[in-house]
């Protein structure tokens, strides 16, 4: 048995929710370690679809302990709405859900600042959801944040709120020409949230480490994806937290020695939402076909996702950053019916200013490693190899033998190129539309 991290290996939206839901059967605990309600995990069980934003996907299973770690930023109203919606749909929420008292709170002024700051960028917008995630993390790092545990002490909360709004209201009035936010109004609103959430707030660092010491299997659930990681993604077109596997230790307060493996979720093609470089993007009919067939619209915002071919250069970067021990390949069925499938194996780049620092100054460079600078990546052209597509449907397949030989060849090529085995293959949206070659928690393997 094992403690496993599930992490997105691309720009998010890889299908982590379904894989976490699948592996939860073998886990005792599901713990979310970063991000906020800007993320959305979609899980389809028979004819019922659930979209989760902050609550771990394990909540859909009875008898599982779900933890929202200190690395997550929480907007109380949306969390309560999510809880109430799950209750309405007969999902039990009680002693199975625990919220870290160290989690930082998204305040109303964070959302206002988020949208105002994004609007001020004009054509250089990052594509933020405007939900206050970034500003909440800014306050956290500047040591001005309000934490969930602060909501439990009205006096402490009011003092911190008053101090923060003194600065925020000056900014809103003088820079953004926006009306001030009332201390009393926010205080009254958030005290109601505190009363509702108080039974769920606890010291999750003690909780999760005690569970690990007792031999419980923990599934660590990330949001977004590695290429959106604040340190290792396509900065500045990134999220505001560490979405890679390293975020587990800081976002939940447990040591790396407690991690037994990292499963990278890889979509069979590539998508991203919002602005930023995307070398393999298809801005043609095929890109639109992938979008429609794959239902590539954000679970949280409904925004259309940009679609393109699989990118091995970025995936090699994700493998290094996360130390992936296995891959879960998702949405294989979306590629059904294509005559040929392209895979990016390198980038071709020529610095338009002829100031490239490599030995081929002034000439086209070939990158097999992911560039550090967004403007360099923006100017990169993909170098493709072409593989045979398949006409037979893979949708709903539950074993490798049911896949066309070309589909198996595609999977093998990905694994061999990356040096990481494919453990799970998703062949549709539903929970049972999956091929499990190896369960990383149970360590059972069927190759």
């Amino acid at each position: 048995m094992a403690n496993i991290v599930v992490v997105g290996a691309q720009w998010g939206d890889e299908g982590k929710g379904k894989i976490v839901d699948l592996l939860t059967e073998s886990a005792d605990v599901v713990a979310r370690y970063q991000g906020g309600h800007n993320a959305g995990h979609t899980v389809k069980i028979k004819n019922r679809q659930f979209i989760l934003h902050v609550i771990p996907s394990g909540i859909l299973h009875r008898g599982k302990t779900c933890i929202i770690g200190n690395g997550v930023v929480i907007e109380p109203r949306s969390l309560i709405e999510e809880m109430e919606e799950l209750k309405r749909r007969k999902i039990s929420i009680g002693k199975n859900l625990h919220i870290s008292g160290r989690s930082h709170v998204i305040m109303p002024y964070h959302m206002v600042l988020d949208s105002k700051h994004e609007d001020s960028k004009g054509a250089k917008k990052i594509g933020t959801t405007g939900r206050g995630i970034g500003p909440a993390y800014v306050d956290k790092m500047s040591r001005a944040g309000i934490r969930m545990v602060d909501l439990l002490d009205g006096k402490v909360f009011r003092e911190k709120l008053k101090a923060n709004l003194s600065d925020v209201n000056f900014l809103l009035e003088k820079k953004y020409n926006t009306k001030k936010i009332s201390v009393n109004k926010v205080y009254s609103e958030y005290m109601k949230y505190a009363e509702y959430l108080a039974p769920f707030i606890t010291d999750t660092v003690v909780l999760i480490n005690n569970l690990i010491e007792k031999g419980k299997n923990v599934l660590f659930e990330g949001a977004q994806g590695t290429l959106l990681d604040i340190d290792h993604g396509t900065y500045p077109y990134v999220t505001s937290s560490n979405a890679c596997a390293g975020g587990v230790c800081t976002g939940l307060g447990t040591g790396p020695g407690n991690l037994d493996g990292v499963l990278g979720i890889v979509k069979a093609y590539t998508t991203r939402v919002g602005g930023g470089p995307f070398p393999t993007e298809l801005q043609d009919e095929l890109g639109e076909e992938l979008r429609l067939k794959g239902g590539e619209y954000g679970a949280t915002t409904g925004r259309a996702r940009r679609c393109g071919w699989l990118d091995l250069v970025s995936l090699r970067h994700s493998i290094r950053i996360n130390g992936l021990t296995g891959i879960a390949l998702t949405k294989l069925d979306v590629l059904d019916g294509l005559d040929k499938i392209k895979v990016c194996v390198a980038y071709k780049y020529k610095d338009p200013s002829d100031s490239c620092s490599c030995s081929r100054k002034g000439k086209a460079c070939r990158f097999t490693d992911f560039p550090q600078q967004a403007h360099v990546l923006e100017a990169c052209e993909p170098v493709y190899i072409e593989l045979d597509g398949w006409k037979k449907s893979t949708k709903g397949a539950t074993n490798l033998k049911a896949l066309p030989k070309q589909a198996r060849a595609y999977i093998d090529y990905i694994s061999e190129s990356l040096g990481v085995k494919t453990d799970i293959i998703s062949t549709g949206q539903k929970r049972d539309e999956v091929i499990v070659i190896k369960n990383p928690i149970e360590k059972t393997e069927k190759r």
Side-chain angles (χ1 to χ4, degrees), residues 197-385:
L197 294 171
F200 303 94
I201 298 172
T202 188
D203 189 337
T204 57
V205 172
V206 173
L207 174 64
I208 196 165
N209 283 287
N210 282 344
L211 290 167
I212 290 171
E213 287 174 11
K214 291 177 181 177
K216 301 296 184 181
N217 296 320
V218 182
L219 193 58
F220 302 101
E221 178 184 22
Q224 288 95 22
T226 302
L227 301 182
L228 292 176
D229 184 275
I230 185 67
D231 287 303
H232 303 291
T234 50
Y235 191 90
Y237 300 95
V238 292
T239 192
S240 305
S241 58
N242 287 117
C244 66
V248 169
C249 298
T250 53
L252 282 162
T254 193
N258 290 325
L259 312 183
D260 297 308
V262 183
L263 183 69
I265 314 303
V266 177
K267 194 177 288 185
Y269 47 102
T270 309
T271 63
R272 83 169 296 173
V273 173
F278 184 2
T280 66
E281 183 175 8
L282 293 168
Q283 296 178 324
D284 56 13
E285 291 182 2
L286 181 55
E288 181 63 20
E289 180 183 336
L290 291 176
R291 183 180 299 113
L292 293 174
K293 194 173 179 182
E296 298 297 351
Y297 298 90
T300 297
T301 63
R303 289 185 295 178
R305 297 174 187 144
R306 300 153 64 190
C307 299
W309 295 116
L310 191 69
D311 184 344
L312 296 185
V313 182
S314 63
L315 285 174
R316 281 192 289 268
H317 176 67
S318 292
I319 289 168
R320 292 191 188 103
I321 297 304
N322 294 297
L324 297 186
T325 55
I327 288 172
L329 189 70
T330 62
K331 292 200 170 183
L332 181 68
D333 56 299
V334 176
L335 299 181
D336 290 354
L338 298 178
D339 292 321
K340 296 290 182 179
I341 297 173
K342 292 183 179 181
V343 178
C344 175
V345 296
Y347 299 147
K348 184 170 65 175
Y349 169 77
K350 182 178 179 181
D351 187 348
S353 65
D354 285 345
S355 62
C356 182
S357 60
C358 76
S359 60
R360 294 177 59 84
K361 183 177 180 180
K363 299 179 182 179
C365 302
R366 183 182 172 99
F367 291 162
T368 53
D369 292 328
F370 201 63
Q372 297 182 70
Q373 297 168 289
H375 76 271
V376 172
L377 187 61
E378 193 75 64
C380 284
E381 296 179 5
V383 177
Y384 289 118
I385 62 101

Side-chain angles (χ1 to χ4, degrees), residues 82-288:
E82 189 172 336
M83 294 166 71
E84 287 298 308
E85 173 62 14
L86 287 171
K87 288 179 182 178
R88 188 185 68 78
R89 300 183 68 181
K90 309 302 181 184
I91 302 299
S92 177
I93 294 181
K95 294 182 179 180
N96 56 340
L97 180 63
H98 306 272
I99 302 168
S100 173
R102 295 180 174 89
S103 292
H104 280 248
V105 183
I106 299 173
M107 304 300 296
Y109 50 83
H110 290 140
M111 290 176 271
V112 175
L113 291 173
D114 200 357
S115 60
K116 292 293 183 182
H117 184 59
E118 180 77 349
D119 289 344
S120 70
K121 292 180 179 179
K124 294 184 178 181
K125 289 182 179 180
I126 291 174
T128 174
T129 58
R131 299 193 173 207
I133 310 297
Y137 278 115
V138 168
D139 272 5
K140 176 178 179 177
M141 293 306 175
S142 65
R143 298 174 293 279
I146 294 172
R147 304 192 298 174
M148 293 299 289
V149 72
D150 295 328
L151 297 182
L152 304 183
D153 188 322
K155 183 179 179 181
V156 170
F157 174 56
R158 179 180 278 277
E159 288 175 355
K160 290 190 173 185
L161 177 63
K162 186 177 180 180
N164 286 358
L165 280 179
S166 175
D167 293 333
V168 169
N169 281 333
F170 178 83
L171 185 63
L172 291 178
E173 280 191 305
K174 301 301 181 182
K175 182 175 181 179
Y176 295 119
N177 195 29
T178 302
K179 64 180 182 179
K180 295 193 295 185
I181 294 174
S182 164
V183 172
N184 290 336
K185 184 177 179 181
V186 174
Y187 178 82
S188 177
E189 178 185 355
Y190 273 63
M191 282 297 92
K192 292 176 183 177
Y193 299 151
E195 183 179 1
Y196 182 101
L197 294 171
F200 303 94
I201 298 172
T202 188
D203 189 337
T204 57
V205 172
V206 173
L207 174 64
I208 196 165
N209 283 287
N210 282 344
L211 290 167
I212 290 171
E213 287 174 11
K214 291 177 181 177
K216 301 296 184 181
N217 296 320
V218 182
L219 193 58
F220 302 101
E221 178 184 22
Q224 288 95 22
T226 302
L227 301 182
L228 292 176
D229 184 275
I230 185 67
D231 287 303
H232 303 291
T234 50
Y235 191 90
Y237 300 95
V238 292
T239 192
S240 305
S241 58
N242 287 117
C244 66
V248 169
C249 298
T250 53
L252 282 162
T254 193
N258 290 325
L259 312 183
D260 297 308
V262 183
L263 183 69
I265 314 303
V266 177
K267 194 177 288 185
Y269 47 102
T270 309
T271 63
R272 83 169 296 173
V273 173
F278 184 2
T280 66
E281 183 175 8
L282 293 168
Q283 296 178 324
D284 56 13
E285 291 182 2
L286 181 55
E288 181 63 20

